[in-house]
Amino acid sequence: MDYRKEYERWCVQATADADVAAELQTMDDAKVEDAFYRDLAFGTGGLRGVIGAGTNRMNIYTVAKASQGLADYLQKHFDKPSVSIGYDSRIKSDVFARAAAGVFAANGVEVYIWPTLMPVPTVSFATRYLGTSAGVMVTASHNPSKYNGYKVYGADGCQITTEAAAEILAEIEKLDIFADVKSISFEEGVEKRLIRYIPEEVYTAFVEAVKKQSVLFGETVNKDVAIVYSPLNGTGLKPVTRTLREMGYGNITVVKEQEQPDGNFPTCPYPNPEIKEAMALGMEYARRCHADLLLATDPDCDRVGIAVKDKNGEYVLLSGNETGILLLDYVCSQRVKHGKMPAGPVMVKTIVTTDMGQQIADHYGVRTVNVLTGFKFIGEQIGLLEKQGKADSYIFGFEESYGYLSGSYVRDKDGVNGAYLICEMFSYYATRGISLLDKLSELYQTYGYCLNTLHSYEFDGSAGFAKMQGIMKTFREEVGPGKRVNSFTGKKIEKVLDYSQGLDGLPKSDVLKYLLEGNCSIVVRPSGTEPKLKVYLSVSAESQTAAEEEEVKVICTMKTFLV
C-alpha cells in the first residue's frame, strides 16, 4: 500500500465522521505513515487499535469494512444469517456498534443488539441463547482509553477459530473500504425491524446462569461480608451488583468515582485490574470502609482483580494466578465434599498460567488441558466437550490475566461469574475463620512456593513491530540447549517449546517457552492485541523471598535481548 496515496484518498472520501475528517487535516508525515502503513490487523481476537483516522486505526470505516467482510462470510455459511451485538463504555463503542449494525442490516443479516452497554460475556451468552450465527462485541477490554476493538464470536458463542478468522480476513481483503461497503442508518434498520433490541429476558437468563455456579450445595455461609466494588468506569456495575444482591450479598460499597461508564477512565488511565494503580482508589475505599474484600472488574467486565486484608490489617492484591488456584481448589474441594464432581472432570488453563493449577487438579483427580494464550482456546475446549455430550465435565478454566469461568453457559471469561464466585469463596472460608491468604499459604505448603510474574515491553509503530519480530528471531536462533545462551542466571535450559509450527495439537502461534531446571520456566510472546512483547516468568523456590530474588536476576538477563 502506498500510504501517502491512501491518505489523500481518505482526505477526499472520509467525510461522514467529523472527528476523522478533522484529524486527517492535522496530520504530519510521521502520523500519516503510522496511521496508513498497514491495515488494522484482523485475527482470532478481531480488531484492536488506537481510535482515529486511518487504515491502522479504529474508526467507522475500518469497523464497517470488517463488518462487510463478516457479513459476506456469514452469507456463504448460513441460509438466514444473524448476529448479536454488544458494546462497552469505551469512547465511540456505541457509535461503532451502530455502524456495524447498519452494515449487517444492509446485507440481509438479522441484527440483535443490546439496548445498553453490557459485559463481554453477555454477547457470548446472547449468541447462544438467541441462536444467532455470530456475535460482535465492541471493546478493547483493559487497554488505555485511546484504544477500541471489535471481537467476533462464532455461532457457539466462542471467539472465532484461526480458520474462521482467516476466511473472514480473506473476505475483508477483497473490499475497497469506501466503494464496497453496503450500509443503512441504524435508525432505518430499527424502523424496518432489520435491527432489534435484545429483550430483558436474555439479560435475566444470563444472571440466572451465573447464580447457578454456586458450589455451596446448600451450605450456609455468612454473606454479610463488607465488599468494596469498582467497575472501573465500565460495564460491570449493574450485572455484578444485581447478581451479588440477589444471592444475599447486600453489604456492598461501590467506588463512586469509578461507578458510572466513562471511556476516558479519569481516575485509572490503565483500567486493568492486573495493574496496581488501577486498584489504588478501590484500596483507599477499602481502608476507609474497613472492607473485608475489594473487587474490581475491567471495562468490559471479563476480568476480576481482588484485594484482601493481611494479619496486620493491610490490603494485599492477589495475582490472577493466586486467585485462580484458590478458586480451582475451592470448586474442586466443594464438589468432592458434596459428591458433585462429574465423571471425567476437566480443568482448562493457558500455557502461561501457573503450573500449580495442574498440581491441584491432579490432587482432585481432575484432568488438565493446557491451551494457547487467550480464553477463546478455553472456550474451544468447552465446545469440544459439548460435542461429545460431556459439557458438564468442564468444572473450571482460568488464565493468569485475571480471567475465570466455572460454567459452560458462555464461551469466554466472565467477570460477573468471577466476582460472584470469589465472594462466595471468601464467605465460605471467612465463616470458618480462614482468610484467603491463610488458604493460599496452605496451598503453597502443600504444593511448593511458585512465583509467577508478567513483564510487558512496549514497541510502538512500524519500527516497533519490526523490532519485536527481530527479538523473537534472536531468541529462536541463539537461546536454548547447545546454543549461545543455554542458561539463565545459572539455571540450565532443559527444553525449548516452540509453538510457531504447532505443538501438542495446538494451533501455530508465535510463542516460545523455555523450561529451566528447578521447575522454572520463561514464556516469550508478542501480544496479539497490543504493541507489546510479553515475558512470563515462573520461578519455584523454597520461599517467596528466594523466588523474588531469582526472578530479579532472570529479568535482568532477559532485558539484554530487548535493547
Side-chain angles (χ1 to χ4, degrees), residues 88-89 117 231-237 258-262 265 297-301:
D88 68 3
S89 63
L117 75 176
L232 296 181
N233 300 119
T235 60
L237 177 65
Q258 298 171 346
E259 180 176 15
Q260 296 304 318
D262 186 341
F265 309 117
T297 51
D298 68 341
D300 61 346
C301 195

Side-chain angles (χ1 to χ4, degrees), residues 218-258:
E219 285 190 77
T220 301
V221 299
N222 173 24
K223 295 182 178 180
D224 194 34
V225 293
I227 300 165
V228 166
Y229 169 59
S230 173
L232 296 181
N233 300 119
T235 60
L237 177 65
K238 291 181 179 178
V240 169
T241 55
R242 174 178 169 177
T243 301
L244 291 178
R245 288 194 168 106
E246 288 184 7
M247 293 306 287
Y249 296 90
N251 190 2
I252 304 168
T253 300
V254 178
V255 177
K256 191 72 178 172
E257 296 88 339
Q258 298 171 346

Side-chain angles (χ1 to χ4, degrees), residues 46 141 154 253 495 526:
S141 188
T253 300
K495 190 175 182 180

Side-chain angles (χ1 to χ4, degrees), residues 535-556:
V535 178
Y536 304 80
L537 303 183
S538 180
V539 181
S540 295
E542 58 190 28
S543 68
Q544 181 176 349
T545 301
E548 288 172 348
E549 289 173 355
E550 189 65 30
E551 186 243 8
V552 170
K553 294 176 187 175
V554 173
I555 207 62
C556 285

Side-chain angles (χ1 to χ4, degrees), residues 303-376:
R303 300 170 192 242
V304 193
I306 72 170
V308 294
K309 279 191 283 192
D310 65 14
K311 287 181 170 60
N312 298 317
E314 295 297 318
Y315 288 90
V316 178
L317 293 167
L318 298 190
S319 71
N321 276 315
E322 290 171 333
T323 303
I325 59 175
L326 283 166
L327 286 171
L328 173 63
D329 183 77
Y330 171 66
V331 169
C332 289
S333 62
Q334 284 294 98
R335 284 184 172 276
V336 167
K337 177 180 172 183
H338 292 277
K340 298 290 187 179
M341 190 67 86
V346 175
M347 182 274 287
V348 191
K349 72 175 189 67
T350 61
I351 59 173
V352 299
T353 298
T354 179
D355 292 330
M356 192 184 290
Q358 185 157 346
Q359 292 176 276
I360 292 169
D362 289 346
H363 173 78
Y364 289 103
V366 175
R367 178 167 67 92
T368 298
V369 177
N370 284 289
V371 295
L372 293 176
T373 308
F375 218 91
K376 56 182 170 284

